[in-house]
Amino acid sequence: MPLDPLSSTFAALADPTRRAILARLALGETSVMELAKPFDMSLPAISKHLKVLEHAGLISRGREAQWRPCRIAPASFKQVDGWLGNFRRFWDESFNRLDGLLEEMKVEEAAKAPPRSQRKVRVTKEKQRGRTRG
Amino acid sequence: MPLDPLSSTFAALADPTRRAILARLALGETSVMELAKPFDMSLPAISKHLKVLEHAGLISRGREAQWRPCRIAPASFKQVDGWLGNFRRFWDESFNRLDGLLEEMKVEEAAKAPPRSQRKVRVTKEKQRGRTRG
DNA sequence: CATGTACTTAGCTCATCGGTTAAATAACCT
DNA sequence: AGGTTATTTAACCGATGAGCTAAGTACATG
């Protein structure tokens, strides 16, 4: 049985060889041979690692003659980052300051607008999900 | 042999039960019994999961009489977030916009100051590490 | 077509992982 | 001391994971 996406992504990231491969790919698309070079490991081993990374949605692969160029695929990274966001308040100071600010703004807004039905906002849920900077 | 810290952290996160435990702990410190309740699983199994999480630096445990209250430990989360930051440019639009801005600023600064030795800045390295929001 | 290059698949080994039950430890409460 | 509650340790089992070698596939080129 296949694991849920987040589990297979984390599992894929739990190997230093695979993380090193991703670090290399962050510099740009490249071939399997090229990726294998830094490692004291058989080619099939690298091939397996790439399969794991692909299955985890962390890379995608193309076809160019006999080469299978690999590149970073953003989606799973984004998902991991999203999950991590649920815990950001535990370590990110600026996140907490921003939260304080947002809460202040909500309080002020609530003071201006008279309370209607469904006016109450679940701040805790709100601040844990789908945050972007900007 | 023990894995490197990042590997054991990712490995710890690669299990849905353990992620659910962390999600519960995000709501606040609690006991092993309390943590075990939602799961159809023996207590020793939970105990093992907690040991893995503790070893990964994702939780810490106290002592209060016969209870061992668990709570989120920030350090490993932060480390994961830091590692993920190396790849942020692949999915985070606002991150890219910010990078563009920073690069512009560097260009302007460089235009003002006449080129000295070691003036060249490795933007790529710079933008991949130790970023915080402000 | 034959040979070389770039991979992938198959089949094996060994270690680790997630779960189990049974027993041990630790602290509290008569 | 004896019992109850909370949690861990020990010993085991089946499944999965990372590595290997050997063989297979796909494409390019002489």
Side-chain angles (χ1 to χ4, degrees):
Chain A
M1 329 145 196
L3 290 177
D4 62 294
L6 211 43
S7 292
S8 32
T9 302
F10 276 126
L13 293 175
D15 184 287
T17 304
R18 286 194 289 260
R19 288 200 307 279
I21 289 175
L22 290 175
R24 169 62 189 82
L25 288 177
L27 303 176
E29 179 170 327
T30 192
S31 73
V32 177
M33 277 305 210
E34 192 62 32
L35 285 172
K37 267 179 194 162
F39 304 102
D40 183 22
M41 199 181 290
S42 72
L43 212 49
I46 300 292
S47 191
K48 268 196 193 178
H49 281 307
L50 293 174
K51 197 191 244 179
V52 171
L53 287 169
E54 187 180 24
H55 206 86
L58 289 162
I59 67 170
S60 69
R61 291 196 269 185
R63 265 168 206 259
E64 267 181 54
Q66 63 256 238
W67 296 274
R68 310 294 310 278
C70 303
R71 69 197 80 84
I72 297 284
S76 287
F77 282 96
K78 193 170 182 173
Q79 217 188 332
V80 166
D81 187 54
W83 184 86
L84 212 60
N86 296 344
F87 300 88
R88 186 149 285 126
R89 62 189 165 98
F90 287 105
W91 79 88
D92 193 326
E93 251 319 301
S94 65
F95 183 93
N96 285 320
R97 269 186 275 117
L98 181 57
D99 274 351
L101 184 62
L102 288 175
E103 210 146 330
E104 265 179 50
M105 287 167 68
K106 283 210 172 99
V107 169
E108 281 173 35
E109 193 192 353
K112 265 185 280 190
R116 280 186 276 149
S117 67
Q118 296 296 9
R119 195 86 193 82
K120 196 150 112 193
V121 179
R122 299 282 311 286
V123 188
T124 45
K125 271 291 160 65
E126 197 86 0
K127 75 181 174 189
Q128 287 181 12
R129 307 203 152 268
R131 289 281 306 281
T132 29
R133 272 163 289 138
Chain B
M1 310 117 236
L3 290 176
D4 63 293
L6 211 43
S7 292
S8 31
T9 302
F10 276 126
L13 293 175
D15 184 287
T17 303
R18 286 193 290 259
R19 288 200 307 279
I21 289 175
L22 291 174
R24 168 62 188 82
L25 288 177
L27 304 176
E29 178 171 329
T30 192
S31 73
V32 178
M33 276 306 209
E34 192 63 33
L35 285 171
K37 266 179 194 163
F39 304 101
D40 184 20
M41 196 180 293
S42 71
L43 215 48
I46 300 292
S47 190
K48 272 193 189 178
H49 281 306
L50 293 174
K51 198 190 241 175
V52 172
L53 288 170
E54 186 179 24
H55 205 88
L58 290 162
I59 68 170
S60 69
R61 290 196 267 186
R63 267 166 200 254
E64 267 182 53
Q66 62 255 242
W67 296 274
R68 311 283 153 80
C70 303
R71 68 197 80 82
I72 298 285
S76 287
F77 282 97
K78 194 169 183 173
Q79 217 188 331
V80 166
D81 188 53
W83 183 86
L84 211 61
N86 296 344
F87 302 88
R88 187 148 285 127
R89 62 190 166 97
F90 287 104
W91 78 89
D92 194 326
E93 251 319 301
S94 66
F95 184 92
N96 284 321
R97 268 185 276 119
L98 181 56
D99 274 350
L101 184 62
L102 287 174
E103 210 146 331
E104 264 180 51
M105 287 167 68
K106 285 214 169 91
V107 169
E108 280 173 36
E109 193 192 354
K112 264 186 282 189
R116 279 186 277 149
S117 68
Q118 297 295 12
R119 194 86 192 83
K120 197 150 109 191
V121 179
R122 300 283 310 287
V123 188
T124 44
K125 270 292 160 65
E126 197 87 3
K127 77 181 171 189
Q128 284 179 13
R129 309 204 151 267
R131 289 280 305 279
T132 30
R133 275 162 283 136

